[in-house]
Amino acid sequence: MTTTQAPAIEAATEPPAYRDSAQGWGVVLAGMVGLALGLSPLPFYTIGMFAPELAKAFGWTFTQLMTSVTVQSLVVVASGPVAGIALDRYGSRRVALVSVVLFGLCFMSLALANGTLWIYYAQWVLMSALGAGTLTATWTRVINSWFDRQRGLALGVVSAGTGLTAFMVKPLTAWLIGAFGWRVAIAVVGALPLLVALPLIYWLFREPPRALAAHGASEPVEPGATLSEALRDRRLWIMALSFLLLAFALTATTPNMENILKTHHFTLPQIGGITAFFGLAVIAGRVGGGLLLDRLWAPGCALIVFMLPAVGNAVLAGGSISATTAILAIIGMGLGTGFEFDLLAYLIARYFGRRQYGTIYGVFYIVIAVGGGLGPAIYGYIFDRLGTYALAMWSGVGCILAGSLLLLTMGPYPEGVE
């Protein structure tokens, strides 16, 4: 497969005045909160809290409960690319405003679960289809247009929203379950997108002036490749295989994390304290990774950063470990998980441009949905069969190393797509 040089629109010598402006950071704030309370992190980071309650209430197995994450990922295979096309056609703001409302209502509906598993899965299907407009591409598409010199940092701050979910919403969910029960907890968590994210998106989330002026015009607003051109580019397929492996390994451990630590004989209070570091590490990985991307070649940066979760997986695959060792392992895993989506957004913009950014990103929804959807269920299955996560964790180490090394074959950034 040959590499196709992406065609570009002639760009001005100086970037537009709105690039890297103060107004852009208001957009970043709204995007960060919108991502934090969207489809990608909210169900993912809370399912581990709700799973024991649902198992107790309805007799469902751990594998059945983790399959809900797989259901979400499979639906995103279809809904993610559709959302990406909608972003390029209608603009990110419109898509975000509609999708965040529908997602919040669908999440709240999970509180009505009655023990019928297929109905529970159907609720996840509806939530995943209607909430696809709250996924990462919605926010990063706009950020890539608002920023140039500080793009990596801006993407990192937006992506830090998922770390906020892990750090703040997980403890809130645990408290709500203990104080009011799981049904009330689901309803309250589902209301957060409506009460917190929606107002910020309405007031602050805007596409830059140039994109607004040209919206709907026959010529593309931004330079870069079309989807058909990107599909003929070997670098797209290298990225696809790399992120398939990385998504599998980095996603699989997150909903299984509490149970992984339980196999190391930590108590529930210890587990709560240890996992809190994961959320902080995700935030640090988002912001720190973004800063590195502004300064280093992205594939080389990825190799360095992803060594941390590889080591973390290897540590947790071993025998008895101390709480301090577990915290360090969790921090390493969080740093890698935090960096993943920063890296993807940055690579797409630098190698394929912003012309059809949402549509191209939609292709990677398929990749990440497959890898990320299979990971949690396979790890849960291995645990159900063997009573340990060791085999799963070592497979994760191999996937992280292979995915990181693949990116080194991407070559230098092409000219003319920025």
Side-chain angles (χ1 to χ4, degrees), residues 10 35 41 51 68 76 80 135 162 164 171 192 197 231 237 240 253 280 283 285 288 291 313-314 321 353 370 379:
E10 289 296 325
L35 179 60
S68 61
V76 169
L135 293 170
T162 58
L164 293 177
L192 292 176
L231 289 172
W237 298 99
T253 55
L280 292 174
I283 296 172
L291 286 169
N313 273 262
I321 58 175
V370 171
Y379 274 42

Side-chain angles (χ1 to χ4, degrees), residues 289-310:
L291 286 169
L292 289 176
L293 288 173
D294 284 331
R295 292 161 173 78
L296 302 175
W297 180 53
C301 183
L303 181 64
I304 296 170
V305 173
F306 286 136
M307 290 303 100
L308 300 174

Side-chain angles (χ1 to χ4, degrees), residues 41-68:
L42 203 61
F44 190 71
Y45 283 124
T46 57
I47 185 62
M49 297 291 181
F50 291 125
E53 305 301 319
L54 292 168
K56 188 187 303 180
F58 304 128
W60 295 338
T61 67
F62 198 78
T63 300
Q64 288 174 322
L65 287 161
M66 288 301 106
T67 299
S68 61

Side-chain angles (χ1 to χ4, degrees), residues 318-345:
S320 179
I321 58 175
S322 67
T324 300
T325 302
I327 289 172
L328 293 175
I330 292 297
I331 288 174
M333 293 164 68
L335 290 170
T337 302
F339 182 64
E340 180 187 9
F341 285 101
D342 282 9
L343 177 67
L344 177 58

Side-chain angles (χ1 to χ4, degrees), residues 106-396:
C106 289
F107 193 100
M108 293 174 72
S109 76
L110 296 174
L112 303 176
N114 63 0
T116 305
L117 191 60
W118 73 265
I119 294 179
Y120 177 73
Y121 287 156
Q123 290 173 294
W124 278 77
V125 169
L126 189 62
M127 178 173 67
S128 305
L130 298 179
T134 68
L135 293 170
T136 310
T138 299
W139 321 108
T140 58
R141 176 183 177 274
V142 175
I143 299 306
N144 274 308
S145 295
W146 274 100
F147 289 88
D148 183 22
R149 291 178 294 101
Q150 296 177 301
R151 179 179 297 169
L153 176 60
L155 289 172
V157 173
V158 167
S159 299
T162 58
L164 293 177
T165 309
F167 182 63
M168 300 178 69
V169 178
K170 280 171 74 77
L172 172 63
T173 302
W175 176 78
L176 288 169
I177 291 172
F180 304 104
W182 64 270
R183 292 187 188 274
V184 171
I186 289 177
V188 172
V189 171
L192 292 176
L194 303 175
L195 299 177
V196 180
L198 184 62
L200 283 174
I201 295 167
Y202 182 81
W203 290 110
L204 296 177
F205 195 66
R206 295 285 189 277
E207 301 194 45
R210 180 185 173 193
L212 288 173
H215 185 68
S218 59
E219 293 186 4
V221 172
E222 304 280 9
T226 63
L227 176 62
S228 62
E229 290 164 347
L231 289 172
R232 296 194 297 271
D233 192 323
R234 69 174 182 86
R235 293 169 299 196
L236 183 90
W237 298 99
I238 291 171
M239 284 178 59
L241 179 56
S242 172
F243 278 91
L244 178 68
L245 296 171
L246 291 169
F248 175 87
L250 296 174
T251 305
T253 55
T254 306
N256 286 283
M257 189 172 297
E258 288 83 3
N259 209 41
I260 291 171
L261 293 172
K262 189 176 179 181
T263 64
H264 287 281
H265 309 293
F266 292 110
T267 65
L268 286 178
Q270 286 177 313
I271 291 172
I274 292 170
T275 54
F277 285 91
F278 181 81
L280 292 174
V282 168
I283 296 172
R286 302 289 197 205
V287 179
L291 286 169
L292 289 176
L293 288 173
D294 284 331
R295 292 161 173 78
L296 302 175
W297 180 53
C301 183
L303 181 64
I304 296 170
V305 173
F306 286 136
M307 290 303 100
L308 300 174
V311 172
N313 273 262
V315 169
L316 292 177
S320 179
I321 58 175
S322 67
T324 300
T325 302
I327 289 172
L328 293 175
I330 292 297
I331 288 174
M333 293 164 68
L335 290 170
T337 302
F339 182 64
E340 180 187 9
F341 285 101
D342 282 9
L343 177 67
L344 177 58
Y346 194 88
L347 287 173
I348 292 174
R350 291 305 303 260
Y351 282 96
F352 304 106
R354 300 184 299 276
R355 182 176 177 183
Q356 290 191 345
Y357 178 89
T359 305
I360 294 172
Y361 202 119
V363 172
F364 285 90
Y365 280 139
I366 300 174
V367 173
I368 292 173
V370 171
L374 290 175
I378 289 176
Y379 274 42
Y381 176 78
I382 291 174
F383 172 75
D384 284 342
R385 295 297 301 269
L386 303 179
T388 176
Y389 284 96
L391 177 61
M393 303 298 285
W394 280 116
S395 70

Side-chain angles (χ1 to χ4, degrees), residues 36-103:
L37 299 177
L39 176 63
S40 178
L42 203 61
F44 190 71
Y45 283 124
T46 57
I47 185 62
M49 297 291 181
F50 291 125
E53 305 301 319
L54 292 168
K56 188 187 303 180
F58 304 128
W60 295 338
T61 67
F62 198 78
T63 300
Q64 288 174 322
L65 287 161
M66 288 301 106
T67 299
S68 61
V69 180
T70 305
V71 169
Q72 174 182 320
S73 299
L74 292 175
V75 175
V76 169
V77 168
S79 64
V82 172
I85 294 171
L87 293 175
D88 289 331
R89 182 168 183 177
Y90 301 109
S92 294
R93 185 173 187 271
R94 293 179 183 178
V95 172
L97 286 171
V98 173
S99 191
V100 74
V101 172
L102 297 177
F103 166 70

